[in-house]
Amino acid sequence: MDVQIPVEEEIIDLAEFLKTFGDPTRLRILFLLRNGELGVQAIGDALGLHQTTVSHQLKLLRHLRLLRYRKEGRGVFYALNDSHIEQILEIGMQHIQEQI
Amino acid sequence: MDVQIPVEEEIIDLAEFLKTFGDPTRLRILFLLRNGELGVQAIGDALGLHQTTVSHQLKLLRHLRLLRYRKEGRGVFYALNDSHIEQILEIGMQHIQEQI
DNA sequence: TTAATACATGTATATATGTTCATATATAAT
DNA sequence: ATTATATATGAACATATATACATGTATTAA
């Protein structure tokens, strides 16, 4: 009994979701946010990135639901959206550390 | 006590590894191989891909250790390398299926 | 209202990536 | 040795992507 390959649309969505983990800047943002929510400026300062670079990446990360956000005053605070995100980071780290 | 962000080299390696999951063709190959090892031709036939397309992607997948391979006669058989691969596919599917 | 702060968006550009065509290599069959 | 089969590799091209600059929007302060 064969395991099914997801249908085209699911494959596309899954690729789009997982692709998001494939960039060093976005990974740094995700790892940083494991310590809790942060504003855009704070993320840029912590990682040495331009504000626009951060905003563009945050837009992607929230559209693909890796992050959620909360507006307060004139600030916007971003946080990891669910446990899937940390799970993938964790498994990925395990994989790259298993060099022979 | 803050969780550490991995060092630059680890971030780069992790991004390179996870980026590999971010393409529909490669995802199809990975899902297909959940049923067991297959040769290059068989993969192309099953997914309707050119032999060269498959070979190029397999090269990537094996270099980043998502797949291992085994030569037998004039064939080369590819298989999922370890459980991390299926775990990431599984978590990713959970994520995209959790639409509100 | 005006200025300041925080964030988002549009556009341009350099670089990366996926696929295809042409061709190479390796093993097996005749 | 020649031919056939299975896979790999190199190069070219079209498309996608990350970043930076310029600018827009929203909220708060003066």
Side-chain angles (χ1 to χ4, degrees), chain A residues 2-14:
Chain A
D2 282 1
V3 184
Q4 294 290 326
I5 298 177
V7 296
E8 184 68 9
E9 198 192 334
E10 281 179 318
I11 289 280
I12 301 285
D13 290 349
L14 182 58

Side-chain angles (χ1 to χ4, degrees), chain B residues 65-91:
Chain B
R65 296 180 301 113
L66 282 80
L67 301 182
R68 55 189 154 75
Y69 66 101
R70 176 177 75 77
K71 291 188 173 186
E72 183 183 312
R74 54 191 157 181
V76 179
F77 296 88
Y78 285 84
L80 298 181
N81 186 45
D82 59 47
S83 65
H84 298 141
I85 314 310
E86 285 182 277
Q87 287 173 41
I88 289 178
L89 296 177
E90 200 52 50
I91 297 170

Side-chain angles (χ1 to χ4, degrees), chain A residues 18-54:
Chain A
L18 293 174
K19 189 190 301 179
T20 313
F21 291 88
D23 174 75
T25 299
R26 287 191 293 269
L27 285 182
R28 281 189 208 100
I29 293 173
L30 295 174
F31 276 108
L32 181 64
L33 293 177
R34 283 193 307 172
N35 293 316
E37 66 172 15
L38 282 176
V40 179
Q41 202 79 6
I43 295 173
D45 290 349
L47 302 176
L49 300 170
H50 288 202
Q51 181 262 314
T52 54
T53 300
V54 176

Side-chain angles (χ1 to χ4, degrees), chain A residues 87-100, chain B residues 10 13-18 20-21 30 60-68 79-88:
Chain A
Q87 286 173 40
I88 289 177
L89 296 178
E90 200 52 51
I91 296 170
M93 286 301 286
Q94 282 175 29
H95 186 83
I96 66 162
Q97 283 164 359
E98 282 176 10
Q99 302 288 359
I100 304 168
Chain B
E10 281 179 318
D13 289 349
L14 182 58
E16 212 175 348
F17 170 61
L18 292 174
T20 314
F21 291 88
L30 295 175
L60 234 173
L61 291 165
R62 88 183 173 247
H63 281 162
L64 290 158
R65 296 180 301 113
L66 282 80
L67 301 182
R68 55 189 154 75
L80 298 181
N81 186 45
D82 59 47
S83 65
H84 298 141
I85 314 310
E86 285 182 277
Q87 287 173 41
I88 289 178

Side-chain angles (χ1 to χ4, degrees), chain A residues 39-41 51-52 55-56 59 62 74-76 78:
Chain A
V40 179
Q41 202 79 6
Q51 181 262 314
T52 54
S55 271
H56 278 297
K59 182 178 185 175
R62 90 184 169 245
R74 53 191 159 185
V76 180
Y78 285 85

